[in-house]
Amino acid sequence: MRKKQWGSGLLAVAGFLLYLLINEPQTAYGMHIMEGFLPVKWAVFWWVVFVPFFVLGLRSIRRITKERPEAKLMLGLAGAFTFVLSALKIPSVTGSSSHPTGTGFGAIVFGPLVMSVLGAIVLLFQALLLAHGGLTTLGANAMSMAVIGPFVAYGIYRAVMKANGSQKLAIFLAAALGDLATYVVTSLQLALAFPAASGGVMASFLKFAGIFAITQIPLAISEGLLTVLVWNWLQSYNRTELEEIQSLQKRGA
């Protein structure tokens, strides 16, 4: 009887080990510039360019949370919104993927520097926890998604509010064009690293941007609409805090 129990136990352990070996997690290479795709000199270059924005973003977050500690909840919401949307990746150009970015919302509420930190943390979590890869290309991906996209979104929002005064239109355009700007920069990053044999960087850029446009334009429009819905929900239930945080980031801009 005892031998049968030992035999059953060993079979169960062997089956469990076989299951783990077959289903061993593998890096998905799902980042919008995948792991190891950029030449070393370009991977290092984008890291160097990105780091100062990250440092300034940390200072901005510290100032906001010091003056309004209750803003931490909204910071968490902005980070979670970016995490969920940017995790929805679909195949695109070889070595890359398309996805919403979700950074426009946080840039409108807190300013673009804050998103350099939140966006980088989101990309790091996706690389490590979701096995999307992209540690060596994190500087390049953070520069396009966590810096350039939020700055464009914030600039569009302020410009439309000043010219038109329609907040919903400003939010839609900011989120959609901030998303597109991320992929314009991604196309440029890929073109600089892999210039075409005929036509150089510009020819390569047009090729990458043309392929991205097929997937990214619908995603950008969808992100713009979703951001407006989230904004409306926050204004319905948390209007006062939303306005106070926006007022705080304008004073620090």
Side-chain angles (χ1 to χ4, degrees), residues 94-151:
T94 299
S96 183
S97 64
S98 291
H99 57 79
T101 63
T103 57
F105 170 74
I108 294 167
V109 177
F110 293 103
L113 283 176
V114 168
M115 291 313 297
S116 67
V117 177
L118 296 185
I121 292 173
V122 163
L123 290 171
L124 181 62
F125 274 25
Q126 290 175 352
L128 298 176
L129 301 182
L130 301 185
H132 284 181
L135 290 176
T136 62
T137 55
L138 185 61
N141 289 330
M143 196 63 205
S144 60
M145 192 183 101
V147 176
I148 302 296
F151 268 94

Side-chain angles (χ1 to χ4, degrees), residues 223-238:
E223 180 173 338
L225 294 172
L226 181 61
T227 306
V228 172
L229 289 176
V230 172
W231 187 273
N232 289 341
W233 177 76
L234 283 173
Q235 278 206 320
S236 299
Y237 296 98
N238 215 4

Side-chain angles (χ1 to χ4, degrees), residues 37-184:
F37 193 70
L38 289 178
V40 173
K41 66 176 183 180
W42 283 111
V44 172
F45 171 79
W46 290 115
W47 266 106
V48 172
V49 173
F50 167 67
V51 167
F53 290 97
F54 185 81
V55 173
L56 291 174
L58 287 176
R59 290 179 57 189
S60 183
I61 289 176
R62 187 168 59 182
R63 180 182 62 81
I64 291 172
T65 53
K66 184 177 180 181
E67 294 188 32
R68 292 195 64 82
E70 63 272 27
K72 292 176 183 176
L73 187 61
M74 197 71 79
L75 279 168
L77 175 64
F81 188 70
T82 301
F83 183 87
V84 172
L85 262 65
S86 60
L88 304 175
K89 294 176 169 62
I90 59 176
S92 186
V93 180
T94 299
S96 183
S97 64
S98 291
H99 57 79
T101 63
T103 57
F105 170 74
I108 294 167
V109 177
F110 293 103
L113 283 176
V114 168
M115 291 313 297
S116 67
V117 177
L118 296 185
I121 292 173
V122 163
L123 290 171
L124 181 62
F125 274 25
Q126 290 175 352
L128 298 176
L129 301 182
L130 301 185
H132 284 181
L135 290 176
T136 62
T137 55
L138 185 61
N141 289 330
M143 196 63 205
S144 60
M145 192 183 101
V147 176
I148 302 296
F151 268 94
V152 170
Y154 184 73
I156 294 289
Y157 176 76
R158 296 293 294 268
V160 175
M161 286 297 290
K162 187 176 181 180
N164 184 283
S166 171
Q167 192 173 45
K168 291 180 181 177
L169 178 64
I171 291 168
F172 170 78
L173 291 176
L177 295 179
D179 178 305
L180 283 178
T182 295
Y183 276 87
V184 170

Side-chain angles (χ1 to χ4, degrees), residues 32-33 37-39 92-98 180 182-197 200-217:
H32 69 255
I33 297 180
F37 193 70
L38 289 178
S92 186
V93 180
T94 299
S96 183
S97 64
S98 291
L180 283 178
T182 295
Y183 276 87
V184 170
V185 175
T186 301
S187 300
L188 179 61
Q189 290 170 325
L190 293 172
L192 288 170
F194 305 103
V201 172
M202 181 55 69
S204 183
F205 171 78
L206 293 175
K207 179 180 177 182
F208 282 123
I211 299 174
F212 272 133
I214 296 173
T215 51
Q216 202 59 35
I217 290 176

